[in-house]
């Protein structure tokens, strides 16, 4: 219920075209669409699907999911996800590891004191470096666009590939992995035909 409450708050505050990450975002998106947040109007906001909101899986956990899931829910395959890895909590947990030796044998009271101090310092440092982080991300994005776009255009020109081909191949890849475990009907008929020919040969 807590993730659903978070989604409801996002829909009410940020509204349209949101992209949120969750460790099981692939499954949770179905839960959201099946809930009251999906098809109906909630707290004077449009529904999840009508606002063109989406859920994905963070980069850290995404590679642990099967490839069918990755083709649809990994940030690398989602247009507009940019450079975001959706791993803020993992960064926090990693930083918290430095605090573990300090409070390992401390009392419950000192656990709370040091955790409060840690997050107060964390918030202060992140807020202080927010401008630098945004600038670095912006410069990195500009560099990627200026270099990779040129390389992509040259490759597309040399291979005679259009933008529509790339989008079509992506759709075909998703469809292929979605049905990879299903035997095509024509293949079933072919196998049966060959088996009947073998039986006929043995009978003769």
């Amino acid at each position: 219920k807590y993730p659903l409450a978070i989604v409801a708050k996002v829909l009410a505050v940020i509204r349209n075209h949101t992209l949120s990450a969750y460790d099981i975002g692939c499954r949770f998106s179905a839960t959201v669409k099946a809930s009251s947040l999906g098809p109906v109007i909630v707290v004077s906001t449009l529904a999840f699907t009508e606002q063109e909101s989406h859920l994905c899986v963070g980069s850290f956990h995404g590679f642990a999911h099967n490839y069918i899931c990755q083709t649809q829910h990994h940030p690398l395959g989602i247009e507009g996800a940019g450079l975001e890895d959706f791993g803020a909590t993992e960064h926090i947990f990693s930083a918290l590891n430095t605090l573990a030796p300090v409070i390992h044998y401390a009392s419950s009271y000192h656990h709370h004191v040091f955790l409060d101090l840690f997050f107060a310092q964390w918030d202060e440092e992140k807020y202080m470096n927010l401008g630098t982080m945004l600038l670095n991300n912006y410069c990195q994005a500009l560099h990627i666009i200026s270099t990779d776009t040129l390389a992509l255009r040259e490759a597309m020109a040399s291979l005679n590939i259009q933008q529509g081909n790339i989008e079509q191949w992506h759709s075909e890849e998703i469809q292929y992995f979605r049905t990879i475990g299903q035997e095509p009907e024509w293949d079933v008929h072919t196998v049966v035909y060959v088996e009947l020919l073998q039986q006929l040969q043995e009978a003769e």
Side-chain angles (χ1 to χ4, degrees):
K1 61 183 180 181
Y2 296 110
L4 288 173
I6 293 172
V7 172
K9 187 66 174 179
V10 169
L11 293 177
V13 176
I14 303 179
R15 302 181 71 84
N16 298 333
H17 306 290
T18 63
L19 177 63
S20 306
Y22 190 26
D23 293 352
I24 54 170
C26 46
R27 296 291 182 88
F28 185 61
S29 59
T31 302
V32 172
K33 293 175 182 178
S35 71
S36 60
L37 299 175
V40 300
I41 295 179
V42 182
V43 289
S44 301
T45 65
L46 291 175
F48 181 81
T49 52
E50 294 174 346
Q51 290 197 22
E52 297 184 6
S53 297
H54 300 279
L55 281 162
C56 67
V57 180
S59 297
F60 180 78
H61 290 277
F63 288 112
H65 290 226
N66 62 53
Y67 196 70
I68 302 175
C69 172
Q70 292 184 40
T71 57
Q72 302 173 70
H73 299 104
H74 197 282
L76 289 178
I78 298 177
E79 185 177 359
L83 303 175
E84 180 59 49
D85 61 1
F86 298 95
T89 52
E90 277 73 22
H91 296 309
I92 294 175
F93 296 153
S94 178
L96 274 171
N97 287 335
T98 60
L99 187 61
V102 179
I103 64 175
H104 184 67
Y105 295 106
S107 64
S108 177
Y109 168 76
H110 285 96
H111 279 181
H112 288 81
V113 169
F114 277 99
L115 285 171
D116 182 69
L117 289 172
F118 173 87
F119 282 109
Q121 181 70 21
W122 174 276
D123 290 343
E124 183 178 346
E125 290 180 356
K126 293 303 177 184
Y127 185 77
M128 181 175 59
N129 296 321
L130 183 60
T132 303
M133 183 202 70
L134 293 175
L135 176 62
N136 290 339
N137 285 358
Y138 178 69
C139 293
Q140 183 184 9
L142 289 179
H143 176 72
I144 292 174
I145 292 173
S146 62
T147 56
D148 291 4
T149 300
L150 180 61
L152 177 62
R153 287 176 179 172
E154 292 177 351
M156 291 174 64
S158 63
L159 297 172
N160 193 25
I161 297 173
Q162 305 298 323
Q163 181 65 32
N165 297 129
I166 298 177
E167 296 172 356
Q168 179 184 353
W169 292 339
H170 180 61
S171 300
E172 290 176 351
E173 180 187 34
I174 294 175
Q175 183 63 25
Y176 171 76
F177 282 101
R178 184 179 294 168
T179 60
I180 193 172
Q182 303 173 10
E183 193 172 13
E185 184 178 353
W186 64 267
D187 199 16
V188 175
H189 293 312
T190 302
V191 172
V192 172
Y193 178 71
V194 172
E195 290 176 348
L196 290 174
L197 288 177
Q198 291 175 343
Q199 293 176 10
L200 177 61
Q201 184 179 15
E202 292 174 357
E204 294 177 348

